[in-house]
Amino acid sequence: MLTISGSAHTLKYWGKRDKDLNLPTNSSISVTLDQSDLRTLTTASCSSKFESDRLWINGTTYSLDTPRSKQVLADLRSLREEVEAKDSSLPKISHFPLHIVSENNFPTAAGLASSAAGFAALISAVANLYKLPTDASELSKIARKGSGSACRSLFGGYVAWEMGELENGEDSKAVLVADKKHWPDMKAAILVVSDMKKDVPSTSGMQLTVHTSDLFQYRITEVVPKRFIEMKDAILKKDFPKFAELTMKDSNSFHSVCLDSYPPIFYLNDTSKRIIKLINLLNESVGETVAAYTFDAGPNAVIYYEQKNEKYVLGLLHHFFNHLDGWSEEKFDSKTSSIPESYPLSALDKDVYSQGVSRIILTQVGEGPTQTDDVLIDLATGLPK
Amino acid sequence: MLTISGSAHTLKYWGKRDKDLNLPTNSSISVTLDQSDLRTLTTASCSSKFESDRLWINGTTYSLDTPRSKQVLADLRSLREEVEAKDSSLPKISHFPLHIVSENNFPTAAGLASSAAGFAALISAVANLYKLPTDASELSKIARKGSGSACRSLFGGYVAWEMGELENGEDSKAVLVADKKHWPDMKAAILVVSDMKKDVPSTSGMQLTVHTSDLFQYRITEVVPKRFIEMKDAILKKDFPKFAELTMKDSNSFHSVCLDSYPPIFYLNDTSKRIIKLINLLNESVGETVAAYTFDAGPNAVIYYEQKNEKYVLGLLHHFFNHLDGWSEEKFDSKTSSIPESYPLSALDKDVYSQGVSRIILTQVGEGPTQTDDVLIDLATGLPK
């Protein structure tokens, strides 16, 4: 079985220059999160006795008969054929039908790129089954064709997706900026915001922005390229205040070009805005940048902070959100982690500022795909256990 | 007495290149609204018997001892001195203390540039008292030094503020794009949105954007200059769909650079976003652009539409907001102005979409400053009546 984690952007992917190949208009960076909190378990098996390629996610059947899925499986089969051609002792399984079983523990509403993780898990599981020698960056190009963000999920730690320049997309791939061990103290608190439904799905939203926002061209040609270099540098230097500033600015910039689209796209709601204010006031109160917010294509917040500043961030969350699902009194030490009385934060109306958040997930930077001995498929029947 | 109206932007003023002279980073355009709905009445008088310059607004005393007010009064006195020097038969009143009494009917929370109208009214009233021959564009330069947006309020109809290039600001002034008679069919519905308080005052918000937004420079150098020309052209051609598109895009662009500021500034709230959605759906339903939204530095919406499309806009407002203060059943003809059953609008949850708006003002394009025989000052005492 293959385990793969969720991730959250620090430098946003928004805009495709080629829709078929999923080639982006800018490079992006994400942090892979811990598998105990957010993970997809996937088992792939193949057999001449199976009738067709099949996929189950959390017990429900999904079609693999889509252009993107077919492309991804064809690419993997072609790599297996190469392996078989080089070593005739290997079983010829590349054309056997595949059964893939996947289970994830992502809260449905969390908007944490669960589909990206799912695609990445499918690819990793089949690559393992096929014993492909291919490295993660090569596999990331296949994952990218399935779902853009999926390419980054093949690495743990801090991951960049280099946009590349080639028309065929061969240089548009994920690379490791730094693994988890390099900067293990990075924590993340996810605040799941209750909302009726997403304003606009990401794929159509991206294209609307690309085609209608005046400010978008400037973002991708001038703002992001500079920020991409600075963000990698901040990660390599473990410079949290710089990492935080770039993360918050890029979240603002991404939501700006959404709002500059015509008609405008809104992913932040009034609850998101209150969370931004809480983080700004926290940093102001402490006198240094100890926390950073970021929002993907939805109202949920990811708050990054370092272990050493946990007391401030957990103090804030305790004050406003300790009634929520996912809040852990164990991780919270009330003797050291409350908001000082003098903070402007303590003067905010708690009833107002605790509104609209439905769940908290406390997690941290995590590992890349991991193989275990467990299997989700009943090998006798080829069906989910 | 001098009457002056409120106004609403169609191309936004946001950013100063010189704070002392109130020189803007971009040209802007506004529509002056009708005086019966939004107006400031002002009377100015002067006498050697008065002890000092004094100002009353809606019965409350305000200080004129501020740098901006002193500058404005010094400029007006200097122009009066010139007039007196040319014609020795005129009374020498330029150094008499001034008493200025002002009353306005702007709803406090409407955020409709009431301070701009107030400054413009003060200047017009004193200019009339002094019988200055100065034209409105020249006076607009004085008004600009008092409060940037005030310069446009010296004209009725469709008014541009040309940013100018000179360091001393002598070419940064208001000019008439077209008077009310040119395009008299322009209507405006103002939806006053309930909100606790403004996120950031305009003056400090502008400077935050100028100094921190990456996208702002692109907006002022590339986006607005082109839009300024197109907007004037749309007004001259009375091309409502183009006027509407530019107005909505510029509102989006302005709020985008606010959100791109660091920390971000939010003037739109969830109610504002619902109003944007209603207008987009209305235009989609009708199959042409019959209404345009715009939001200044606050959550209140101004909806522009032409007389001939009143039935659609009033139909929409009737459906969602006919319980509100300011709604006029007289202006609404229920036989012709309801939302067709087939519209996606009629499927929206009325309870959700009618939330958050506290008042409606139905108005239209209006005249510039108007003089009447009424006076607000008791000439015997020099105090407000």
Side-chain angles (χ1 to χ4, degrees):
Chain A
M1 185 179 69
L2 194 285
T3 310
I4 208 158
S5 320
S7 65
H9 283 98
T10 63
L11 200 64
K12 304 293 182 188
Y13 160 47
W14 195 252
K16 299 179 198 237
R17 65 179 201 272
D18 183 317
K19 275 204 295 189
D20 295 333
L21 292 172
N22 272 340
L23 300 179
T25 51
N26 61 266
S27 298
S28 52
I29 297 178
S30 63
V31 177
T32 300
L33 299 175
D34 193 71
Q35 303 196 346
S36 53
D37 302 299
L38 299 161
R39 48 122 195 81
T40 298
L41 313 174
T42 305
T43 300
S45 73
C46 63
S47 162
S48 60
K49 292 179 192 154
F50 296 164
E51 285 179 13
S52 62
D53 294 335
R54 293 182 72 181
L55 170 67
W56 292 263
I57 302 175
N58 290 352
T60 304
T61 313
Y62 287 81
S63 171
L64 284 168
D65 196 25
T66 64
R68 295 200 181 281
S69 301
K70 286 199 287 194
Q71 175 68 55
V72 162
L73 295 180
D75 284 355
L76 291 165
R77 286 188 161 117
S78 154
L79 289 172
R80 171 68 189 182
E81 279 175 28
E82 286 175 28
V83 171
E84 291 171 6
K86 281 182 197 150
D87 181 351
S88 60
S89 72
L90 291 176
K92 305 279 184 293
I93 61 172
S94 65
H95 291 279
F96 287 0
L98 286 156
H99 279 191
I100 299 160
V101 178
S102 196
E103 283 174 12
N104 70 61
N105 69 346
F106 289 60
T108 312
L112 287 159
S114 57
S115 69
F119 245 118
L122 179 155
I123 286 160
S124 288
V126 176
N128 276 327
L129 173 72
Y130 284 173
K131 302 202 189 323
L132 301 180
T134 324
D135 74 19
S137 274
E138 282 303 306
L139 283 181
S140 81
K141 289 191 262 179
I142 300 176
R144 189 207 72 224
K145 292 185 219 168
S147 161
S149 290
C151 72
R152 281 191 248 88
S153 302
L154 293 166
F155 291 93
Y158 305 84
V159 193
W161 175 8
E162 294 175 343
M163 64 178 286
E165 289 176 0
L166 299 175
E167 270 190 39
N168 66 8
E170 279 304 298
D171 58 350
S172 184
K173 59 183 194 294
V175 297
L176 191 67
V177 177
D179 62 15
K180 176 187 165 163
K181 284 196 292 286
H182 166 73
W183 196 3
D185 303 338
M186 183 69 77
K187 300 276 177 178
I190 298 160
L191 304 187
V192 180
V193 170
S194 1
D195 200 19
M196 284 177 292
K197 68 183 192 63
K198 212 165 175 171
D199 190 55
V200 176
S202 307
T203 309
S204 50
M206 278 186 196
Q207 291 320 99
L208 187 66
T209 302
V210 170
H211 292 124
T212 65
S213 165
D214 300 298
L215 304 175
F216 176 73
Q217 278 304 319
Y218 189 76
R219 166 172 162 80
I220 62 169
T221 55
E222 301 294 328
V223 180
V224 175
K226 189 164 166 272
R227 203 170 270 159
F228 183 65
I229 293 165
E230 292 177 331
M231 178 70 86
K232 286 194 291 187
D233 191 56
I235 291 168
L236 293 174
K237 289 180 177 155
K238 297 184 268 188
D239 179 348
F240 186 83
K242 190 72 192 169
F243 170 88
E245 182 188 330
L246 294 168
T247 297
M248 291 188 277
K249 283 188 169 175
D250 201 65
S251 179
N252 298 343
S253 170
F254 155 56
H255 291 282
S256 294
V257 297
C258 288
L259 168 49
D260 190 52
S261 306
Y262 186 73
I265 304 165
F266 295 97
Y267 290 122
L268 304 178
N269 65 16
D270 285 354
T271 303
S272 316
K273 285 157 56 177
R274 285 191 293 266
I275 294 169
I276 290 174
K277 186 165 178 184
L278 289 179
I279 298 302
N280 285 336
L281 279 177
L282 177 68
N283 290 331
E284 222 174 83
S285 299
V286 178
E288 65 176 279
T289 309
V290 296
Y293 60 78
T294 186
F295 297 81
D296 278 359
N300 306 310
V302 176
I303 311 297
Y304 288 112
Y305 56 100
E306 283 186 293
Q307 173 80 52
K308 67 176 179 186
N309 290 316
E310 192 167 59
K311 61 178 183 289
Y312 299 116
V313 178
L314 293 191
L316 177 81
L317 297 180
H318 173 76
H319 185 75
F320 290 100
F321 304 114
N322 67 352
H323 58 289
L324 292 182
D325 273 1
W327 174 254
S328 163
E329 284 295 334
E330 286 160 38
K331 292 191 188 179
F332 175 74
D333 174 355
S334 62
K335 287 189 291 295
T336 58
S337 318
S338 52
I339 302 182
E341 289 290 330
S342 62
Y343 279 21
L345 284 166
S346 62
L348 291 178
D349 185 337
K350 195 169 156 176
D351 288 343
V352 171
Y353 279 81
S354 60
Q355 274 171 25
V357 177
S358 61
R359 189 191 168 103
I360 293 189
I361 300 164
L362 296 174
T363 182
Q364 59 197 333
V365 60
E367 304 284 359
T370 313
Q371 242 191 307
T372 69
D373 291 335
D374 299 330
V375 287
L376 299 173
I377 289 181
D378 179 337
L379 295 177
T381 63
L383 298 174
K385 273 185 183 169
Chain B
M1 184 179 73
L2 195 286
T3 311
I4 209 159
S5 319
S7 65
H9 282 98
T10 64
L11 200 64
K12 305 293 183 188
Y13 160 46
W14 195 252
K16 300 177 198 240
R17 65 180 201 272
D18 183 317
K19 275 204 295 190
D20 295 331
L21 292 173
N22 273 339
L23 300 179
T25 52
N26 62 267
S27 298
S28 52
I29 297 178
S30 63
V31 177
T32 300
L33 300 174
D34 193 71
Q35 305 195 344
S36 54
D37 303 299
L38 298 161
R39 47 124 196 82
T40 298
L41 312 174
T42 305
T43 300
S45 73
C46 64
S47 163
S48 59
K49 292 179 191 153
F50 296 164
E51 285 181 12
S52 62
D53 293 335
R54 293 183 71 182
L55 169 67
W56 292 263
I57 302 174
N58 289 352
T60 304
T61 312
Y62 286 82
S63 171
L64 283 169
D65 196 26
T66 64
R68 295 202 181 281
S69 301
K70 286 200 286 190
Q71 174 69 54
V72 162
L73 295 180
D75 284 354
L76 291 165
R77 285 188 161 117
S78 153
L79 289 173
R80 171 69 189 180
E81 281 175 27
E82 286 175 28
V83 171
E84 292 171 5
K86 280 183 198 151
D87 180 352
S88 60
S89 73
L90 290 176
K92 303 280 183 294
I93 60 173
S94 67
H95 290 280
F96 287 0
L98 285 157
H99 279 193
I100 298 159
V101 178
S102 197
E103 281 175 13
N104 70 61
N105 68 347
F106 288 61
T108 313
L112 286 159
S114 57
S115 68
F119 244 117
L122 180 154
I123 286 159
S124 287
V126 175
N128 275 327
L129 174 71
Y130 285 174
K131 302 200 185 328
L132 301 180
T134 325
D135 74 17
S137 274
E138 281 304 305
L139 283 180
S140 81
K141 288 192 262 179
I142 300 176
R144 190 206 72 222
K145 292 186 219 168
S147 161
S149 289
C151 73
R152 280 189 250 89
S153 302
L154 293 166
F155 291 91
Y158 305 84
V159 193
W161 175 8
E162 293 175 342
M163 64 178 288
E165 290 176 357
L166 299 175
E167 270 191 39
N168 66 8
E170 280 304 297
D171 58 349
S172 184
K173 60 183 193 297
V175 297
L176 191 67
V177 177
D179 61 15
K180 177 188 163 161
K181 284 196 292 287
H182 165 73
W183 197 1
D185 304 339
M186 182 69 78
K187 301 275 178 178
I190 299 160
L191 304 187
V192 180
V193 170
S194 2
D195 200 20
M196 284 178 291
K197 67 183 194 62
K198 211 163 173 170
D199 191 55
V200 176
S202 308
T203 309
S204 50
M206 279 187 199
Q207 291 320 99
L208 186 66
T209 303
V210 170
H211 293 125
T212 64
S213 165
D214 300 298
L215 304 175
F216 176 73
Q217 279 303 318
Y218 189 76
R219 166 173 162 79
I220 60 166
T221 54
E222 300 294 327
V223 179
V224 175
K226 189 163 165 272
R227 201 169 273 159
F228 183 65
I229 293 165
E230 292 176 332
M231 177 70 86
K232 286 193 290 188
D233 191 56
I235 291 168
L236 293 174
K237 289 180 177 153
K238 296 184 270 188
D239 178 347
F240 186 83
K242 191 70 191 171
F243 170 88
E245 181 188 331
L246 294 168
T247 297
M248 292 189 276
K249 283 188 169 175
D250 201 65
S251 179
N252 298 342
S253 169
F254 154 56
H255 292 284
S256 293
V257 297
C258 289
L259 169 50
D260 189 53
S261 306
Y262 185 75
I265 305 165
F266 296 97
Y267 290 123
L268 304 178
N269 65 16
D270 285 353
T271 303
S272 316
K273 286 157 54 178
R274 286 191 293 266
I275 294 169
I276 289 174
K277 185 164 178 186
L278 289 179
I279 298 302
N280 285 335
L281 279 176
L282 177 67
N283 289 332
E284 220 173 85
S285 300
V286 178
E288 65 175 280
T289 308
V290 295
Y293 59 79
T294 186
F295 297 81
D296 278 359
N300 306 310
V302 176
I303 311 298
Y304 287 113
Y305 57 100
E306 282 186 294
Q307 172 82 52
K308 68 175 181 188
N309 290 318
E310 193 168 59
K311 62 177 182 290
Y312 300 117
V313 179
L314 294 191
L316 177 80
L317 298 180
H318 174 75
H319 186 75
F320 290 101
F321 303 116
N322 67 353
H323 58 289
L324 292 181
D325 273 0
W327 174 253
S328 164
E329 283 296 332
E330 287 161 38
K331 293 191 188 179
F332 174 73
D333 174 355
S334 62
K335 288 190 289 295
T336 59
S337 318
S338 53
I339 301 182
E341 289 290 331
S342 62
Y343 279 21
L345 284 167
S346 62
L348 291 177
D349 186 337
K350 195 169 157 178
D351 288 342
V352 171
Y353 280 81
S354 61
Q355 273 172 25
V357 177
S358 61
R359 188 192 168 102
I360 293 189
I361 301 164
L362 296 174
T363 182
Q364 59 197 330
V365 59
E367 303 285 356
T370 312
Q371 242 191 310
T372 69
D373 291 335
D374 300 331
V375 287
L376 299 172
I377 289 181
D378 179 337
L379 296 177
T381 63
L383 298 174
K385 273 183 179 171

